[in-house]
């Protein structure tokens, strides 16, 4: 369980970092890439949460 919590914390930190980057003044193509990273990481976090709920 401790390892899963650590992985979730890492995912949340990565999402926060991406959001900070997204707020910078980058060209649209870069913003789109960062946006897709945020969506992928968020999806991974949600999947992890559902896996934990199902496992209990």
């Amino acid at each position: 369980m401790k390892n899963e919590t650590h992985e979730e914390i890492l995912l949340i930190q990565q999402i926060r970092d991406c959001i900070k980057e997204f707020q910078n003044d980058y060209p649209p193509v870069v913003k789109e890439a960062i946006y897709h990273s945020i969506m992928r990481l968020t999806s991974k976090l949600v999947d992890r949460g559902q896996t934990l709920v199902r496992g209990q």
Side-chain angles (χ1 to χ4, degrees):
M1 187 71 172
K2 188 176 184 179
N3 193 30
E4 285 129 1
T5 303
H6 181 69
E7 287 179 32
E8 289 174 4
I9 290 169
L10 287 177
L11 282 171
I12 291 167
Q13 287 173 339
Q14 289 176 324
I15 292 167
R16 282 185 183 160
D17 290 344
C18 284
I19 290 170
K20 284 180 192 168
E21 286 296 309
F22 190 77
Q23 292 171 344
N24 289 331
D25 190 25
Y26 290 125
V29 173
V30 175
K31 286 226 179 205
E32 187 174 345
I34 295 170
Y35 174 79
H36 285 297
S37 291
I38 293 168
M39 297 307 291
R40 183 178 44 80
L41 291 166
T42 303
S43 175
K44 204 185 266 189
L45 184 63
V46 169
D47 289 347
R48 293 232 15 95
Q50 291 189 5
T51 301
L52 288 174
V53 168
R54 272 189 243 121
Q56 292 181 357

